[in-house]
Amino acid sequence: MKGESKLNNVVIGVVGGLGHIGLIQSACLAGLGYNTIAYDIDKEKIAGVLNGKLPFEEAGLQKLVRETVNDGLLKITAQIDDLEEAEIVFICVGTPSLSNGEADLSQVYQAVEQMARNRNRHCLAVIKSTVPVGASAKLTAHLKKLNLSNKVTMVSNPEFLREGSGVEDFWNPARIVVGSEIKEAGEKVAGLYAPDGVPVIITSWESSELIKLASNAFLSTKISFINEISILCEQVGADVRTISKGIGLDPRINPHFLAAGVGFSGPCLEKDLQSLIDQFKKTNQKARILESVLEVNETLRHSVVEKLLAELGRLKDKNIAVLGMAFKEETDDVRQSHSLPIVQNLISQGAMVTVTDPWVKSPEQAGLSEDVLPGVTWVDSPYAAAKDKDAILILTAWQEYRDLDLARIKQLMANPLIVDGRNLFNKDDLKAQEIKYQGVGI
Ligand code: UGA
């Protein structure tokens, strides 16, 4: 779907324009009819995108990029000067975790500063990157010190896009949040793309920044909550899937983010939670709930390995097939995927590990250097992975795995055992195939 631009003749820039959020933002704004300039330093990536090869999978994005580039609405460039005509520039660069959990803002500072130095006209610099509370104020003070504040006014406008359905989420947001010191600047950014009828919150920089972090922290909390309940389910003979259904039918709770399993991972939830915990520490407060959320997540992540160990007696020299490397289904993203530390745990215990994923076919494609998963064999299908194995460990909830031909799997395996970190199956179906089965909280 393409919408309609709400403000006429506004040229928009996007820094970090070929990153995951940056490219969705650029293509969707161009899809709304805005002249959009996506700036990125990676010339190889730019050439790839212009040739129809996106750096990552995202439903509907390739088509939208192609159409908007062809329409002349989306321009992709490695020249920062090209941003001069943009009066609103979105900052979509990475904010990775430092070892103490703190978010590293160096890319954001560099992007804003470089952009300000390379322009003559004033613009609104809109922070899409997820930043700690106070970042917009600090950036403003920083620009003032450099005598660049006449070039840039900071606005916060967090994103709530899920990987895999980012384009869809852009068209159908649950809300638009904008933080600004200047009311008109906030209204202008919200007015750019808030669809009719969607709630808009225009607030302070700090509240806007914290809405984003608190949203992700709350989603993480829901997952760890149900995962904690799953631990008790296993002790008392209850089924956590039925518990999720039973509590989720209460509209005050709702059914989303109550799927128990190996927990949350990926480039966002864990990093943002760590950043929020770090912000509590910096203000001499303790984030008691949030620290527990992280602790439960870590416990559940490795509980599947404990289950394998309990079933097999030891992992040394055992052949284990791991199904799922992406941090969730419908993405090829393995950044901070739970599968990496879990496979590393298996390797460290002496297991021989074969991995497979429908969209991640090799360590090179995943961007993993050789030393991340040493000695691991990558194969093309779950059936190739299952051959002669002592156990299968399921880590990502791909539909392809839900649809597995269990009779074929049983025949292929040396020892029919499935430990299912995503609760994809019914125990009875596995029993009928005489495959030993362990889920999470079932
Ligand atoms: C998350 C948020 O959902 C988005 O709103 C936010 O914009 C984004 O982070 C971001 O900050 O950029 P995303 O990381 O793409 O989106 O993925 P989610 O769909 O939230 O899933 C995160 C993890 O939680 C995955 O590992 C998933 O398997 C796991 N999960 C999710 C569960 O274990 N159980 C659930 O019930 C739901």
Side-chain angles (χ1 to χ4, degrees):
M1 174 197 122
K2 288 202 215 178
E4 266 178 30
S5 60
K6 304 217 159 191
L7 304 178
N8 291 327
N9 302 323
V10 175
V11 178
I12 298 172
V14 179
V15 178
L18 298 193
H20 211 116
I21 296 301
L23 192 51
I24 296 173
Q25 184 75 8
S26 304
C28 288
L29 286 167
L32 287 174
Y34 293 109
N35 279 306
T36 306
I37 303 156
Y39 162 72
D40 203 287
I41 48 171
D42 192 332
K43 291 186 179 155
E44 211 175 300
K45 240 191 218 174
I46 294 179
V49 171
L50 292 174
N51 281 320
K53 199 179 167 317
L54 301 198
F56 49 83
E57 293 281 346
E58 188 65 50
L61 189 58
Q62 192 169 26
K63 182 167 174 275
L64 190 61
V65 168
R66 191 179 56 242
E67 285 173 1
T68 50
V69 168
N70 288 345
D71 289 351
L73 287 165
L74 177 59
K75 179 174 170 184
I76 301 175
T77 179
Q79 303 295 327
I80 196 151
D81 303 353
D82 289 346
L83 293 174
E84 174 73 12
E85 4 163 14
E87 62 179 281
I88 300 179
V89 179
F90 286 91
I91 308 295
C92 300
V93 293
T95 53
S97 272
L98 295 170
S99 55
N100 61 356
E102 190 184 337
D104 176 1
L105 292 189
S106 55
Q107 292 180 53
V108 176
Y109 270 75
Q110 203 189 355
V112 174
E113 201 181 309
Q114 199 192 16
M115 202 247 317
R117 285 193 195 284
N118 280 280
R119 58 186 298 122
N120 298 308
R121 288 172 60 197
H122 172 266
C123 73
L124 300 180
V126 188
I127 305 285
K128 272 274 162 213
S129 307
T130 302
V131 292
V133 181
S136 301
K138 283 186 185 149
L139 272 156
T140 301
H142 180 69
L143 291 170
K144 216 175 231 162
K145 249 200 248 155
L146 300 174
N147 278 330
L148 291 168
S149 50
N150 58 330
K151 302 273 188 67
V152 171
T153 298
M154 300 305 304
V155 176
S156 156
N157 174 217
E159 54 85 15
F160 302 101
L161 310 175
R162 293 162 302 168
E163 277 197 25
S165 50
V167 174
E168 193 54 37
D169 289 347
F170 185 97
W171 300 132
N172 300 299
R175 75 297 209 191
I176 299 285
V177 176
V178 180
S180 179
E181 254 203 334
I182 303 163
K183 195 166 167 258
E184 296 72 35
E187 283 169 355
K188 187 161 194 176
V189 171
L192 264 187
Y193 65 106
D196 292 337
V198 168
V200 172
I201 297 176
I202 299 182
T203 180
S204 65
W205 285 324
E206 291 75 12
S207 295
S208 169
E209 290 158 348
L210 190 50
I211 286 171
K212 163 69 190 195
L213 290 166
S215 294
N216 273 3
F218 192 76
L219 294 172
S220 309
T221 304
K222 282 190 89 174
I223 298 170
S224 277
F225 174 84
I226 200 66
N227 276 340
E228 179 149 282
I229 296 294
S230 80
I231 296 172
L232 187 61
C233 284
E234 288 180 9
Q235 301 302 317
V236 299
D239 185 330
V240 75
R241 293 172 299 190
T242 314
I243 312 297
S244 296
K245 191 170 173 199
I247 64 174
L249 285 169
D250 183 332
R252 293 170 302 174
I253 298 174
N254 93 37
H256 304 292
F257 277 69
L258 289 178
V262 272
F264 56 85
S265 69
C268 304
L269 292 194
E270 206 174 347
K271 166 181 81 83
D272 294 349
L273 191 59
Q274 277 164 342
S275 164
L276 199 49
I277 291 171
D278 175 67
Q279 290 168 62
F280 270 79
K281 281 190 191 137
K282 290 214 165 80
T283 53
N284 293 321
Q285 303 297 322
K286 195 165 163 51
R288 282 167 296 194
I289 293 177
L290 304 182
E291 283 184 11
S292 306
V293 167
L294 209 51
E295 194 184 314
V296 171
N297 198 47
E298 192 63 26
T299 305
L300 265 289
R301 179 170 286 180
H302 291 290
S303 68
V304 283
V305 178
E306 312 264 302
K307 285 175 179 161
L308 281 173
L309 197 56
E311 286 291 340
L312 298 173
R314 62 181 165 84
L315 293 179
K316 189 164 167 32
D317 298 329
K318 296 288 181 189
N319 288 298
I320 314 287
V322 170
L323 273 51
M325 294 303 289
F327 82 93
K328 65 174 186 181
E329 64 280 18
E330 304 297 320
T331 176
D332 59 353
D333 198 347
V334 299
R335 288 175 298 163
Q336 282 81 48
S337 171
H338 57 289
S339 299
L340 302 176
I342 294 174
V343 172
Q344 282 162 345
N345 187 353
L346 294 172
I347 297 169
S348 73
Q349 299 199 43
M352 289 172 293
V353 187
T354 299
V355 303
T356 186
D357 187 283
W359 286 10
V360 189
K361 296 293 184 192
S362 66
E364 296 77 39
Q365 186 204 334
L368 301 174
S369 59
E370 269 176 26
D371 54 346
V372 179
L373 300 178
V376 164
T377 307
W378 290 68
V379 296
D380 210 31
S381 81
Y383 300 103
K387 195 168 174 344
D388 301 330
K389 296 301 182 296
D390 297 307
I392 287 178
L393 175 58
I394 299 177
L395 295 182
T396 311
W398 286 100
Q399 185 61 41
E400 184 179 333
Y401 300 158
R402 290 182 199 274
D403 297 338
L404 279 180
D405 177 346
L406 292 172
R408 191 172 157 200
I409 289 285
K410 156 102 196 284
Q411 270 192 341
L412 285 164
M413 295 185 76
N415 173 51
L417 165 66
I418 295 182
V419 172
D420 180 1
R422 292 295 177 191
N423 288 345
L424 304 186
F425 298 108
N426 282 321
K427 267 183 171 175
D428 290 345
D429 294 343
L430 277 287
K431 211 174 182 181
Q433 294 296 339
E434 296 175 342
I435 298 176
K436 263 198 162 177
Y437 181 69
Q438 292 233 18
V440 177
I442 57 177

